[in-house]
Amino acid sequence: MEVTHQTDNGQAALWNGRSGRAWVDAQEVLDQMFKPFEDLLVEAVCAGPGHRVLDVGCGTGSTTLAVARRLGAKGHCIGVDVSDPMLAAARARAKREDTTASFLRADAQRHAFTPASFDTIISRFGVTFFDNPVQAFANLRRAARDGAALRCIAWRSAAENPFMTTAERAAAPLLPSMPARQPDAPGQFSFADRHRVASILEESGWAEIDVRPLDVDCTLPENELVGYLTWLGPVGLILQEADERTRTQVIETVRAAFDPYVHGAEVRYTAACWMVSARAHKKD
């Protein structure tokens, strides 16, 4: 099943442009690198109530499809995202697998989901891009059945994730126009403050809130590292339009900065995240 719904979320422009296309191009590497998080969410779904699942910010569909495979015919997983390029890739993968998973092109912050229709809501890094997270999680609460479980994985702070900021720190002297990250703005590290995350969930109607540290060892092949740093993130976006001289200089500088993470044919780092859990209690 393919469902489309318009979105007015400002993130749509980003993920329907170069960022979304770059993610699609790198999907195999990224899916492998983030496989440990996918496994954690699949296990959370299997341990949770019921078998109707919503995957928020599903991207190219890896986690949605993994959940659908585990549930089989007894359940259904719907992935929601604002990115047409990513969803096209997700639907193509679902078609190849002949899975029961389906995908919805919508802004989870504003979309009118059928009330009380999901037993579990999950997300692998997708919930940090809402421009109004309280509104978003209140909307997801309305979509959740009483007793439903929320399980989201989000990055902790940039300071705790030096691998994720190595490229921009190394490239900054060469790319003075590169915008600085804004704390609490929609983006990768917007959930860095655990107390803010808990407050967002409480204000939006969730209960049994638990935000605990999650440190996961991640890897990618060394021969994929240059592609990773030249296509993704702030540096990757700029390099896609940079002149050849600048591009060469930045790549050489940034690649050298990643040397501490390179171990033979493998790149290794620890991802510092939160495992965010909550439950939808019955409303009074």
Side-chain angles (χ1 to χ4, degrees):
M1 178 176 69
E2 296 185 10
V3 184
T4 300
H5 185 275
Q6 285 301 107
T7 173
D8 58 357
N9 188 341
Q11 289 290 317
L14 175 68
W15 295 108
N16 281 290
R18 293 194 304 273
S19 290
R21 292 191 295 273
W23 194 279
V24 171
D25 290 341
Q27 64 179 311
E28 290 186 10
V29 172
L30 293 171
D31 286 347
Q32 186 59 42
M33 186 166 71
F34 293 144
K35 183 68 162 54
F37 299 108
E38 176 185 299
D39 292 341
L40 287 170
L41 290 173
V42 170
E43 292 304 317
V45 167
C46 293
H51 302 296
R52 186 169 172 82
V53 181
L54 179 67
D55 182 9
V56 179
C58 67
T60 57
S62 177
T63 301
T64 310
L65 294 170
V67 169
R69 285 193 294 271
R70 180 66 71 90
L71 292 177
K74 67 181 181 180
H76 185 63
C77 187
I78 299 176
V80 59
D81 206 290
V82 299
S83 172
D84 284 322
M86 289 188 183
L87 289 174
R91 287 164 176 154
R93 297 170 80 175
K95 187 175 181 179
R96 289 195 298 271
E97 291 192 20
D98 192 26
T99 177
T100 59
S102 60
F103 296 92
L104 168 68
R105 201 276 193 185
D107 176 3
Q109 178 173 312
R110 301 172 175 88
H111 180 66
F113 296 104
T114 301
S117 57
F118 294 103
D119 303 300
T120 309
I121 298 175
I122 63 171
S123 179
R124 186 190 69 180
F125 306 134
V127 295
T128 62
F129 297 94
F130 295 125
D131 57 66
N132 186 332
V134 172
Q135 178 187 348
F137 280 98
N139 194 41
L140 294 173
R141 173 61 189 89
R142 286 189 290 272
R145 292 173 178 160
D146 291 339
L150 175 72
R151 298 288 184 270
C152 303
I153 296 173
W155 296 99
R156 299 207 305 266
S157 68
E160 294 172 280
N161 286 285
F163 179 86
M164 287 292 158
T165 57
T166 293
E168 57 208 87
R169 286 186 282 111
L174 304 174
L175 300 174
S177 63
M178 185 168 55
R181 293 181 186 259
Q182 301 299 317
D184 295 343
Q188 184 178 14
F189 300 118
S190 69
F191 275 26
D193 184 341
R194 72 190 302 176
H195 300 293
R196 176 174 180 261
V197 176
S199 177
I200 288 168
L201 292 174
E202 183 177 6
E203 189 175 348
S204 58
W206 291 89
E208 296 184 36
I209 298 162
D210 184 38
V211 184
R212 64 181 58 190
L214 175 67
D215 295 302
V216 174
D217 293 332
C218 297
T219 63
L220 71 155
E222 188 280 331
N223 60 10
E224 298 286 357
L225 180 57
V226 170
Y228 170 84
L229 65 89
T230 54
W231 278 98
L232 300 168
V235 174
L237 286 177
I238 293 176
L239 287 182
Q240 290 180 44
E241 295 187 344
D243 62 78
E244 193 59 34
R245 180 176 178 276
T246 299
R247 182 178 172 83
T248 299
Q249 188 177 18
V250 169
I251 290 174
E252 290 177 354
T253 300
V254 172
R255 172 59 186 83
F258 276 95
D259 279 346
Y261 301 99
V262 177
H263 302 272
E266 192 172 65
V267 178
R268 304 174 196 157
Y269 69 95
T270 299
C273 300
W274 300 119
M275 173 61 85
V276 181
S277 303
R279 192 165 296 279
H281 278 189
K282 185 176 182 179
K283 297 182 177 67
D284 295 333

